[in-house]
Amino acid sequence: MVLALAPFLAATDPDQAADALVAQMTLDEKIQLVHGGYTFGGPAGPNDAEEWVSGIPRLGIPDILYSDGPNGVVVGPGTALPSSMASAASWDLNEARKFGQAIGAEVRAAGMDSWLGGNVNLVREPRDGRTFETAGEDPLLAGSIKAAHLAGVQDANLIGTLKHYALNDQETGRLMANSAIGERGARESDLLAFEIALKESNAQSVMCSYNLINGTYTCQNDDYLNGVLKGDWRFPGYVQSDAFASHSSAMSAMAGLDQEEPGGFYFGGAWDVSLESAIQSGAMPEARLDNMVHRILRAMFAAGVMENPPAMGTFDADSDAAVAQEVEEQGAVLLKNANGLLPLDAGKVASIAVIGGHADVGVLSGGGSAQVTPVGGAALTLAPECPATSVGTSGEACHNASEVYDPSSPLEAIRALATGANVQYADGTDIGAAAAMAGASSVAVVFVTVWTSEGMDLDDLSLPNGQDALVSAVAEANPHTVVVVESGGPVTMAWLDSVDGVLEAWYPGQKGGEAIANILFGAVNPSGRLPVTFPKSVADLPRPVVPGPSDPTATTPFDVDYNVEGFDVGYKWFDARGIEPLFPFGFGLSYTTFALANVQATAAGADVVPGFTVSFDVQNTGTRAGAEVEQVYLGLPAGVGDAPRRLVALEKVALDAGASQHVSISVSASDVSHPLSYWNARAKNWEIARGEYVVYVGDSSRNLTEAGRFYYPGPRRGGRG
Ligand code: BGC
């Protein structure tokens, strides 16, 4: 017997190292590695892991200890970072990597070696209670941001997991929702986000989801697991099921599932028993089990877990808190600033009425498996009001959740900056009293909150608990009103015309109060941009009502018809249908102004691998330093049937007042995002259509300059195009 072989193999190629270990393992040991334990309703795992897979000490294989989540470690107290959505709204991949690094350091310190937080599901359904965990509606932006999160997490030698594969875009009836979608629709939307995130991050683990796709549960979906993920994308790592998402043993394993997420087998049995009998009966060859184990072990080698097994440690709470503040300062989106109300002048504003949102104690966070217990403890914990859609099994999470406020008081942060002003607070429960206070103040700042969580969807996008009426009453008493929105995603704003300012702060994290105050008073110039379209009304969405099962207590699958919009997710739907959004994808204001000049696009040549370069000068034409997010969109030839435009590149440019910069961005058909291609479902391949392509550049999906056009004549004869 070789003692603790794994650490000695760590320097070798991960595949060879994995094979060397598999060759040493007994059948029982192999089976042990493909399923594990789950804390929910049972004993806590090693180091208090939520889920775990026991290692094999005689070979030096450590335990795999899992922690969620997308906005920070959830095992034990951790830094409550702003939501993943806020990170995406920075449109800044360096910032996103720092966000991932802070999470990674804390997951490591909690004694874990795997992170389950890479939620790259696209926001097809803005009422989805998990919107805050995602990175928005666009495959390129979401895929790139999540890749940066994963890269940051993997810097701490953790196995990074991308989830929930795939098309898990609503919570209503989540265990029986059948996502119905055509191949092209899927490839050019949700699957593309996964493909980008996976290839750009080299993540080693993918979690299959609860839902069905076209009639088959994702964790036993051969087309999606063996076909797309392992076949087309050559994913070398392992597929794990979401908790309770495996529905069979040999059938799932043969379809490509490699590890039943600790938690067991919801519908009877568990993999430890059922896989062994499947092998004994010949229903599953042992070679498949070897491949499953190989994939898990190669992931552990590739991530650096073998050399760096899980151990409890400490983390630098101050530096992670600084990251939390910076991400919020980069990710909050200024949506309206009429009459130059913002930034507030700390020396001139005489009185400020701060109203609502529990702003006296903290800022809101999102619930479910992504819920972080903030360092220092929650400022406030309330029982949530679960929407009517939160019923049945998928609603359990909502009903078990708490509405947690992170300890960062915007009121105190405002007081600290507005030293000369009389700053008063009203909690907003008495609308008349709040309006009276606003009327007697120079400025009113209303904090509004929309709590969301795994296990629920919102019924609509208006503000709950009478907050729309509160804003309207305050604005009527004082038009110099700023609304700060703490939400997981889009909200509708019936009162928009009556207020001067709106700041979308998302779930701001445990330095959110300070970050918001810095933006309100101009210590920070806002530079966040929307990663999701804000609709005027839910009637403008592909599905005005979130589809649900006719009997929420039954387990019969029901259809969620994604063929309605296909690949036209988010802004593409609004553009294709000519619907005016409330605020478009990519939009966000600054306290300075920018101008573009010398905009041009040059085709890289009508070659087998076409592409183009777009170049321009961007100038900060205002009086303060600031950052602009330049967005490059491409219109494909009309006959292709795609949306009018798709995002193909982005760059955030920071400029001092008056400064300018020449920017040149190249886009190639060979980029991982397939920027020039459409999915040809008949040929089962990405193809580039013959025809005219239009390149646009601008600061939102609805404020674009045409940079140029080029004609692609099709692949050269004999070419590979
Ligand atoms: C969630 C996953 C999570 C898992 C383990 C499930 O309810 O859907 O996102 O990783 O629980 O906590």
Side-chain angles (χ1 to χ4, degrees), residues 570-582:
Y571 65 93
K572 294 169 184 165
W573 166 262
F574 283 76
D575 288 352
R577 300 280 164 138
I579 305 169
E580 198 59 39
L582 186 63

Side-chain angles (χ1 to χ4, degrees), residues 649-677:
L650 54 116
E651 187 154 325
K652 193 163 189 175
V653 185
L655 290 171
D656 285 337
S660 58
Q661 189 177 317
H662 182 69
V663 177
S664 170
I665 302 174
S666 292
V667 173
S668 164
S670 63
D671 291 350
V672 68
S673 59
H674 308 288
L676 278 71
S677 311

Side-chain angles (χ1 to χ4, degrees), residues 33-49:
L33 226 52
V34 299
H35 78 101
Y38 187 52
T39 303
F40 191 73
N47 300 350
D48 284 338

Side-chain angles (χ1 to χ4, degrees), residues 38 50-51 66-70 74 115-117 119 121 130 133 161 163-164 168 171 174 207-210 240-244 261-262 368-370 397 454-455:
Y38 187 52
E50 312 171 74
E51 294 112 7
Y66 291 105
S67 170
D68 278 299
V74 305
W115 178 68
L116 299 177
N119 187 344
N121 291 131
R130 304 191 80 167
E133 299 183 28
T161 302
K163 68 185 187 183
H164 308 82
N168 182 189
E171 287 295 279
R174 69 175 177 170
M207 183 192 287
C208 51
S209 51
Y210 289 125
Q240 59 174 296
S241 55
D242 201 341
F244 319 123
E261 183 170 315
S369 62
E454 176 180 344

Side-chain angles (χ1 to χ4, degrees), residues 303-632:
V305 162
M306 297 297 191
E307 303 134 283
N308 197 357
M312 302 297 286
T314 54
F315 62 90
D316 185 341
D318 290 343
S319 99
D320 292 351
V323 173
Q325 181 163 341
E326 197 177 289
V327 170
E328 177 62 12
E329 289 175 349
Q330 304 289 320
V333 185
L334 183 62
L335 293 175
K336 181 170 183 183
N337 189 15
N339 308 313
L341 179 65
L342 297 174
L344 299 172
D345 187 332
K348 287 207 188 125
V349 61
S351 53
I352 305 174
V354 175
I355 295 164
H358 303 287
D360 54 333
V361 293
V363 289
L364 186 58
S365 64
S369 62
Q371 179 74 62
V372 174
T373 304
V375 169
L380 181 68
T381 303
L382 303 173
E385 283 176 38
C386 294
T389 42
S390 308
V391 287
T393 329
S394 63
E396 278 168 19
C398 182
H399 294 283
N400 290 333
S402 304
E403 196 172 319
V404 173
Y405 284 76
D406 293 327
S408 172
S409 158
L411 175 65
E412 280 170 27
I414 288 171
R415 283 202 169 121
L417 292 183
T419 43
N422 176 21
V423 182
Q424 289 179 282
Y425 177 71
D427 69 10
T429 45
D430 179 340
I431 293 185
M437 183 189 285
S441 305
S442 330
V443 172
V445 184
V446 189
F447 286 81
V448 296
T449 55
V450 185
W451 181 77
T452 51
S453 169
E454 176 180 344
M456 61 168 270
D457 292 326
L458 294 167
D459 294 329
D460 63 41
L461 297 175
S462 60
L463 300 178
N465 306 326
Q467 294 176 101
D468 279 327
L470 172 67
V471 174
S472 297
V474 169
E476 194 168 319
N478 187 341
H480 306 305
T481 290
V482 183
V483 182
V484 179
V485 183
E486 295 170 22
S487 67
V491 296
T492 49
M493 302 176 186
W495 34 259
L496 182 61
D497 289 344
S498 64
V499 302
D500 272 355
V502 180
L503 180 69
E504 174 56 68
W506 315 110
Y507 296 140
Q510 69 177 59
K511 293 294 273 182
E514 290 82 349
I516 291 166
N518 278 345
I519 291 173
L520 294 178
F521 288 93
V524 167
N525 190 352
S527 63
R529 303 288 182 264
L530 293 181
V532 281
T533 302
F534 277 41
K536 284 187 174 161
S537 152
V538 290
D540 293 337
L541 298 172
R543 283 160 294 281
V545 175
V546 179
S550 43
D551 175 3
T553 57
T555 50
T556 323
F558 66 98
D559 279 358
V560 184
D561 188 5
Y562 290 143
N563 289 309
V564 173
E565 75 278 30
F567 43 71
D568 282 342
V569 176
Y571 65 93
K572 294 169 184 165
W573 166 262
F574 283 76
D575 288 352
R577 300 280 164 138
I579 305 169
E580 198 59 39
L582 186 63
F583 295 108
F585 174 80
F587 177 78
L589 299 170
S590 166
Y591 294 147
T592 188
T593 48
F594 298 92
L596 287 185
N598 306 320
V599 177
Q600 49 178 303
T602 326
D607 209 341
V608 283
V609 183
F612 62 91
T613 298
V614 56
S615 64
F616 48 86
D617 297 315
V618 51
Q619 185 179 12
N620 179 341
T621 49
T623 54
R624 337 173 144 239
E628 176 66 305
V629 177
E630 299 302 349
Q631 303 163 34
V632 181

